[in-house]
Amino acid sequence: MAESAGSVVLARSAMNRAATEGQRPAGRPVRGARRISAALAGLAASTRHELLTFDDPVASADRAIPEPFLELAGACMRAAAERAGEVRRIVPRHALPRLEDGPRIPGRARFADAIPFKLIVVDRTVAAVPLDLELLYNGLLLIRDPVVVQALVRTHHACWTTAEELVRVPPPRPGDAAPEPLRPVLEALLSGLTDEAAAARLGMSARTYSRRVGELLAALGTTSRFRAGAEAARRGWV
C-alpha cells in the first residue's frame, strides 16, 4: 500500500513539474462532449499493444451524462481492449456488482478498495486523465509527456500488484443451487457470525473471506448482505 500511495504522489508530482517547469505543457485539455468523444475514439484507434485503466463504472451513476456519450465511451474502451494484446483494468471494490452486470471487456481485471483517479494509458505513450479525476465527460487531459506517462504507468503497476484478481462467478438462474465454492460462505453469512469468526471457521484469511462475500453478493445481484439472504431464499439456495 505504501508503494501504491508513493506512486500516486509521483504521478501527480510529475504532472505538476511538467506543467510548471517544462517548455511544453504536461498535456492538452479536451472539453466538450464532441471533442472528448473524438479523443476517446482516437485512443481506441491508436491502441496496438497494451491498455491500462483505472475504471469506476459506478462513477457516472446518477449523474446528468447523456446516454449516447456513455455508450460511445464504453464502445471505445471495448474496441481498444480488443485491439490490445495486454489489458489490465483496475476497478474499486464497490463497482463489482455493476461490473458483473455490464458488458464484458476483454483482458484481465483486478479490484482494489479504491482507485486514485480514473485513467487510460495506451501503449505507454499516451494517457488520458479526467480534469476532475473522476468523469471523462467533464473534460480530460491528453498526456504525451514521456515522464508523466511513465509515472502513471508506475502508479498503475503499483496498484496492480496489490489488487485482487477478479474471478467472475456467473449468476445462477432461479432454482439453481448456489455455486459450490460460495455455499460455505453463504451459510456463514446467514449464521450471523462476524467476518472474523466466519473466516476462522472456514479456514480463510479475512481478506479472502471478504472477497468471497463480494463474489456471493455479485452472484446474487445485490450489494446488500440483508438482501442477499432474501435473494438466496427466493432462489432456493437455503
Side-chain angles (χ1 to χ4, degrees):
M1 293 300 292
E3 181 184 359
S4 178
S7 294
V8 172
V9 172
L10 173 64
R12 289 176 173 166
S13 297
M15 284 189 283
N16 291 336
R17 185 172 64 253
T20 57
E21 298 179 6
Q23 298 300 313
R24 57 180 178 176
R28 176 172 63 88
V30 180
R31 296 181 175 88
R34 181 174 298 179
R35 292 181 178 178
I36 295 169
S37 298
L40 293 176
L43 286 173
S46 68
T47 304
R48 293 292 181 272
H49 309 293
E50 182 184 64
L51 178 68
L52 309 177
T53 70
F54 287 134
D55 189 18
D56 184 355
V58 180
S60 58
D62 301 323
R63 304 289 186 97
I65 301 177
E67 192 64 30
F69 178 87
L70 294 175
E71 292 178 359
L72 185 145
C76 287
M77 288 303 95
R78 288 191 295 276
E82 289 169 358
R83 295 170 66 93
E86 178 76 10
V87 178
R88 296 187 179 187
R89 185 184 185 199
I90 302 177
V91 299
R93 187 183 299 274
H94 69 255
L96 289 180
R98 178 72 174 268
L99 200 68
E100 291 293 335
D101 295 337
R104 297 299 176 90
I105 294 180
R108 299 174 64 189
R110 291 185 178 183
F111 66 91
D113 289 336
I115 58 174
F117 42 77
K118 195 174 179 71
L119 170 70
I120 302 168
V121 182
V122 171
D123 294 341
R124 306 197 177 198
T125 58
V126 59
V129 178
L131 293 176
D132 62 3
L133 301 183
E134 293 184 5
L135 296 174
L136 293 170
Y137 182 73
N138 293 337
L140 60 84
L141 189 69
L142 274 181
I143 303 169
R144 297 185 185 276
D145 185 290
V147 175
V148 179
V149 172
Q150 184 60 25
L152 292 171
V153 169
R154 288 191 181 186
T155 298
H156 190 278
H157 176 73
C159 292
W160 181 263
T161 57
T162 58
E164 297 184 57
E165 200 77 25
L166 176 62
V167 179
R168 297 183 183 273
V169 179
R173 295 168 296 180
D176 287 349
E180 188 63 35
L182 299 182
R183 198 170 297 169
V185 178
L186 175 61
E187 293 172 357
L189 196 64
L190 295 176
S191 70
L193 293 172
T194 64
D195 283 6
E196 291 78 8
R201 172 181 290 187
L202 298 177
M204 301 177 180
S205 67
R207 183 173 183 177
T208 299
Y209 178 75
S210 177
R211 175 169 58 83
R212 290 293 176 83
V213 170
E215 293 172 1
L216 175 64
L217 297 183
L220 291 168
T222 181
T223 58
S224 165
R225 295 190 178 197
F226 175 79
R227 286 197 294 272
E231 178 62 19
R234 186 186 72 81
R235 298 186 183 200
W237 288 11
V238 294

